[in-house]
Amino acid sequence: MMMMSETNRKIDMVVFDMAGTTVDEQNVVYKTLHKAIQNFNVEVSLETVLEYGAGKEKHKAIKDVLTHLKSDKLKDSQTIFDNFKKLLTVAYATLEVKPIKGIENVLLNLRSEGIKVVLNTGYDRKTATLLLDKLEWDEKIHYDALITASDVVNGRPHPDMIFQAMELLGVTDASKVLKAGDSAIDIEEGKNAGCGITVGVLSGAQTKAQLEKEKPTYILESLVNLKDIL
């Protein structure tokens, strides 16, 4: 899935999703989302939650799953979301969070080459910050900026998080931005922002077939393989 004109393009900024892309948290968020929906007597598989919820702001993820199921519990989505947040706080209290293998070197190497590194996520800022604290990742060492779903009006697939990162870091040309994530909505977000390169990774929520639907520039096993295309 290589396009030579793409590989030769100078990249000024990368925007990486968190869970499943840079952070290994054993899919606990989607397992918890699954549990929160099931607690309202909704029959749904984890696979369906991943297909219709991955990468999205989590209240929207719940609504999209319930809409797909044509569930009469859609009216209870806010209550399910509030319950999800409580369950997640408990789950995260004891969870061992690790970086995706080799990713710390990827972040440090990109920054050493003058490429700005942005982490973006469908989590709210509180949850994302908790993850970064557990990883002991520091702004201006491992990354240049964190942009979360709670920092913008419109979450993925809208490009607002990428545009906010560009404005914050003084990047004006979206064609020099690379967006990577483990779900199709990450690719959609990158394309909507006009990113020059979009990358799907197989280290997280979705399958190769699900990622291919959005036609990313590349699909990689992991972001560790990013050096092969830059």
Side-chain angles (χ1 to χ4, degrees):
M1 213 183 253
M2 293 206 173
M3 303 175 189
M4 291 311 295
S5 61
E6 302 280 3
T7 57
N8 294 331
R9 178 177 288 143
K10 170 76 168 69
I11 292 296
D12 291 339
M13 184 173 90
V14 295
V15 181
F16 293 159
D17 174 52
M18 291 182 64
T21 304
T22 52
V23 182
D24 178 8
E25 39 76 279
Q26 299 103 57
N27 254 351
V28 71
V29 168
Y30 298 110
K31 289 174 183 174
T32 305
L33 203 66
H34 182 222
K35 183 178 179 181
I37 295 171
Q38 282 190 318
N39 283 353
F40 263 70
N41 297 315
V42 177
E43 282 192 31
V44 62
S45 67
L46 178 59
E47 288 70 28
T48 297
V49 170
L50 288 169
E51 183 167 359
Y52 293 94
K56 298 177 181 176
E57 184 276 321
K58 299 307 174 267
H59 188 195
K60 177 171 173 50
I62 290 166
K63 288 191 287 188
D64 286 358
V65 170
L66 293 173
T67 299
H68 167 71
L69 295 171
K70 298 181 173 59
S71 172
D72 61 0
K73 296 295 198 313
L74 185 59
K75 64 184 185 303
D76 299 311
S77 66
Q78 182 64 52
T79 306
I80 295 172
F81 178 57
D82 291 340
N83 183 45
F84 158 73
K85 287 190 287 186
K86 290 174 186 172
L87 290 172
L88 190 63
T89 299
V90 174
Y92 267 150
T94 56
L95 180 72
E96 182 190 358
V97 177
K98 300 173 291 187
I100 296 288
K101 189 175 180 181
I103 195 64
E104 285 194 49
N105 285 336
V106 173
L107 303 181
L108 296 172
N109 289 341
L110 286 167
R111 293 195 74 249
S112 73
E113 291 168 13
I115 296 172
K116 292 175 170 49
V117 174
V118 176
L119 300 176
N120 87 331
T121 177
Y123 298 147
D124 59 21
R125 181 161 285 271
K126 180 181 176 184
T127 306
T129 302
L130 179 64
L131 276 177
L132 293 172
D133 287 346
K134 279 182 174 270
L135 290 169
E136 299 183 347
W137 283 2
D138 297 313
E139 192 173 326
K140 306 307 178 194
I141 296 177
H142 296 89
Y143 63 97
D144 293 279
L146 167 69
I147 309 291
T148 76
S150 60
D151 299 326
V152 295
V153 174
N154 301 302
R156 296 171 183 154
H158 297 281
D160 298 29
M161 285 195 283
I162 294 175
F163 288 161
Q164 187 176 116
M166 289 174 64
E167 186 175 352
L168 183 67
L169 298 176
V171 175
T172 56
D173 185 354
S175 74
K176 294 182 178 180
V177 176
L178 178 151
K179 165 67 199 198
D182 65 318
S183 58
I185 201 167
D186 285 298
I187 309 308
E188 201 179 342
E189 175 194 27
K191 290 193 170 188
N192 287 340
C195 292
I197 299 177
T198 54
V199 178
V201 293
L202 300 175
S203 51
Q206 292 192 328
T207 64
K208 186 174 183 180
Q210 288 169 327
L211 294 174
E212 281 175 339
K213 288 177 186 175
E214 292 302 326
K215 298 182 172 59
T217 320
Y218 305 97
I219 294 178
L220 304 175
E221 289 295 324
S222 160
L223 276 185
V224 175
N225 304 112
L226 198 62
K227 62 183 183 298
D228 298 337
I229 62 173
L230 289 181

